Amino acid sequence: MDKVDRLVEGWVRDGHLPGAVLDITVSNRFRFQKSYGSYSDGTREHPIHLNTMFDIASLTKVTVTLPAILVLVAKGKLSLDSSVQAYLPAFRHPQVTLRHLLIHASGLPPDLPYLPRKAARPSLIDEILAQELLFQPGKDKLYSDLGMILLGIIVERVSGEPLDRFVKQHVFDPLVMRHTVFNPGSELRDRIAATEQVDRAYVIGEVHDEKSFHLGGVTGSAGLFATADDLARYAAWWLQPEHWDIVPPSLMRETTAAPIRGRGLGWEVKHDPTNVPSCGESWPTGSFGHTGFTGTSLWIEPEQGISVVFLTNAVHLGRNNKIRELRPILHETVLSSYLS
């Protein structure tokens, strides 16, 4: 992986990224782990280490909300094809199902109008519930934070537990993901990579996403902090689900078995040559993954057992950063380096 190593080192050296942690695992045969660069807390630079925790942003959708829903489906407490209204009576659109929310085909808008972190927003859930659909459910695809927020609420309503507690008990603890948390305590602050500068101070240990921030930091769309090693453990579960008694492997395989326009249940799936995902063109059909706005990503190639965790706080450099163009280059280089 020398070429991959030089690539990331060059991006940090040239100022395209502040730093990163890269974890490449191939079944039980090969592992590459390395940390790069540093971040500022406003007064001094802190080096990034292998155990640095990152705000993983929308990776929360597939590391929290998706498995939580699957656990409840496996327990017979949820049905993917039931109406959202069956679990949230205040939701106004009876034709929208849980499956629609998971594949981003509900018709809900992608987001709410932007409000800064300090702005009052006491009725955010009511705002979501009041949204009109932009298209008939199942007829199109539009990535939506709002649907994932609703799924997180459904997990809480059905399980009777807070989302963070439920996923810790049923997913993180069984997988020994000890450094994956919502709302990390002050004792972890020195291990957390700062994200964006807001009001002349860097955000450290608080969720970057504004909606999640207004909802207390625990939502189905964002809010999770994790290490690369923990996310590699999570990827290993998806590669060999039969090794853990968490969710039936057949149910997990269903999430990527029949993608629609690049989306499975929760995951982005490589299957359509006209729709190139963030892993790039060369990754095999059936590969699946997800990204996070802060700069994070996780991609899995199930046939060869490859997982690539790339955690970076790209928004440390501002929102006009290069992470979207860098991700495919990284993953193409990883694949070519492994196959060469």
Side-chain angles (χ1 to χ4, degrees):
M1 291 294 167
D2 288 348
K3 190 175 180 181
V4 178
D5 186 27
R6 291 194 301 271
L7 185 70
V8 179
E9 282 187 340
W11 288 343
V12 173
R13 182 184 61 246
D14 296 341
H16 298 319
L17 295 174
V21 177
L22 177 61
D23 187 304
I24 304 166
T25 305
V26 184
S27 299
N28 296 319
R29 302 188 301 273
F30 173 84
R31 190 166 193 189
F32 174 89
Q33 295 174 292
K34 189 169 178 179
S35 61
Y36 305 83
S38 62
Y39 63 89
S40 172
D41 65 4
T43 59
R44 65 185 181 90
E45 289 289 314
H46 297 260
I48 290 177
H49 302 289
L50 288 178
N51 69 346
T52 295
M53 299 173 69
F54 289 79
D55 177 342
I56 66 171
S58 283
L59 279 182
T60 304
K61 294 176 172 70
V62 291
T63 54
V64 172
T65 310
L66 174 61
I69 290 288
L70 296 181
V71 167
L72 290 172
V73 169
K75 290 176 178 292
K77 295 184 177 182
L78 285 179
S79 169
L80 293 179
D81 294 309
S82 290
S83 169
V84 172
Q85 207 174 65
Y87 309 103
L88 294 177
F91 188 68
R92 298 168 49 243
H93 309 288
Q95 68 274 43
V96 176
T97 66
L98 303 192
R99 190 181 300 272
H100 287 141
L101 296 185
L102 279 171
I103 64 175
H104 298 281
S106 67
L108 284 170
D111 211 338
L112 296 174
Y114 171 80
L115 275 180
R117 295 166 68 87
K118 290 187 177 180
R121 196 166 206 166
S123 58
L124 191 146
I125 299 302
D126 290 340
E127 285 185 65
I128 296 175
L129 293 172
Q131 295 299 304
E132 297 292 341
L133 301 184
L134 302 181
F135 53 83
Q136 184 178 345
K139 297 298 184 183
D140 203 348
K141 183 196 75 174
L142 184 62
Y143 183 86
S144 175
D145 277 3
L146 309 188
M148 287 292 179
I149 291 172
L150 293 180
L151 285 170
I153 295 171
I154 288 171
V155 170
E156 294 187 331
R157 294 276 181 91
V158 172
S159 70
E161 296 184 55
L163 180 62
D164 53 349
R165 186 187 304 167
F166 182 84
V167 76
K168 181 179 186 300
Q169 177 184 348
H170 293 281
V171 181
F172 299 158
D173 284 351
L175 294 176
V176 198
M177 295 169 64
R178 296 195 179 99
H179 310 289
T180 300
V181 296
F182 287 97
N183 289 327
S186 58
E187 72 279 4
L188 295 173
R189 179 183 170 90
D190 290 343
R191 287 186 51 198
I192 299 172
T195 54
E196 193 173 18
Q197 193 173 38
V198 178
D199 297 327
R200 293 179 292 183
Y202 285 104
V203 177
I204 306 175
E206 289 185 340
V207 61
H208 176 264
D209 179 82
E210 289 85 6
K211 295 185 298 302
S212 184
F213 179 80
H214 286 294
L215 288 169
V218 181
T219 66
S221 64
L224 198 67
F225 290 74
T227 61
D229 184 70
D230 271 12
L231 291 179
R233 290 175 180 270
Y234 184 70
W237 174 46
W238 282 86
L239 286 167
Q240 296 182 304
E242 64 278 1
H243 290 183
W244 290 271
D245 185 20
I246 301 175
V247 173
S250 59
L251 184 56
M252 295 175 69
R253 287 192 288 269
E254 183 183 336
T255 65
T256 59
I260 300 172
R261 294 180 58 190
R263 285 285 168 189
L265 297 176
W267 294 107
E268 186 177 7
V269 183
K270 173 77 184 303
H271 78 109
D272 180 359
T274 64
N275 186 10
V276 180
S278 59
C279 63
E281 293 183 357
S282 298
W283 274 53
T285 298
S287 301
F288 57 95
H290 210 284
T291 62
F293 185 80
T294 49
T296 58
S297 62
L298 166 63
W299 271 94
I300 297 170
E301 198 287 284
E303 291 302 316
Q304 298 180 80
I306 302 172
S307 69
V308 179
V309 179
F310 189 54
L311 301 186
T312 177
N313 54 336
V315 292
H316 199 62
L317 306 177
R319 300 195 179 192
N320 187 28
N321 57 68
K322 293 182 176 292
I323 189 61
R324 289 190 178 183
E325 61 187 82
L326 300 181
R327 281 190 187 116
I329 298 171
L330 172 74
H331 289 87
E332 296 272 11
T333 307
V334 168
L335 191 65
S336 64
S337 296
Y338 174 68
L339 295 177
S340 61

